[in-house]
Amino acid sequence: MKNNRILGIGIDIEDINRFRKLNLTKNNRFLNKIFTMSELDYCFSKKNVASSLATKYVGKEATIKSLSFVGKTIEYKAIEITNDSSGAPRVNLNFGGKKYEILISLSNEEERAIGVAIL
């Protein structure tokens, strides 16, 4: 981190069953409102699609909470959760033309996914 100043922190937890109950197709209206096509491609390439979707979702929610000081609505698709070559999650933010450094940690187990974001 270039700057040690923390501007915000966010955390979110989600029941994976919420995603298991959806019609899990790439052209699902809800999923397309929340996720970029790149995120959907990634999630649908995984064995447990619902768990992967829930994990990316909590990453987006935690990021939104860490940016709460902005005072503006942030669209889900303005936040893209990617993975680097080692599999570690990264946040790409397309919001307001400003560059924010966001550290993110995501985890899941059979029933729940959790995400923490530090801005």
Side-chain angles (χ1 to χ4, degrees):
M1 269 169 69
K2 298 175 190 172
N3 183 344
N4 291 342
R5 190 169 148 227
I6 294 175
L7 300 175
I9 187 166
I11 188 168
D12 195 59
I13 189 167
E14 183 66 50
D15 187 342
I16 294 171
N17 276 329
R18 179 177 176 203
F19 286 86
R20 286 187 187 116
K21 292 176 183 177
L22 294 174
N23 175 20
L24 291 178
T25 64
K26 284 188 188 179
N27 56 355
N28 176 292
R29 189 172 160 197
F30 170 75
L31 296 180
N32 280 284
K33 183 178 178 181
I34 303 297
F35 301 103
T36 66
M37 190 50 67
S38 177
E39 289 170 321
L40 290 174
D41 287 343
Y42 176 86
C43 292
F44 278 88
S45 75
K46 299 299 177 185
K47 182 178 178 183
N48 191 335
V49 175
S51 179
S52 189
L53 289 166
T55 304
K56 289 213 183 277
Y57 180 79
V58 296
K60 288 174 179 265
E61 282 286 328
T63 299
I64 288 169
K65 290 173 183 176
S66 77
L67 289 160
S68 63
F69 74 92
V70 175
K72 296 180 183 175
T73 301
I74 301 168
E75 299 293 326
Y76 286 102
K77 282 189 162 183
I79 301 162
E80 186 172 49
I81 307 296
T82 62
N83 297 81
D84 68 15
S85 59
S86 70
R90 299 285 179 245
V91 177
N92 295 325
L93 185 63
N94 183 14
F95 175 75
K98 293 185 179 180
K99 253 323 200 201
Y100 296 105
E101 183 177 9
I102 300 172
L103 303 175
I104 192 162
S105 181
L106 304 173
S107 188
N108 60 54
E109 48 89 40
E110 189 174 322
E111 299 297 323
R112 296 198 178 36
I114 190 166
V116 176
I118 299 173
L119 176 69

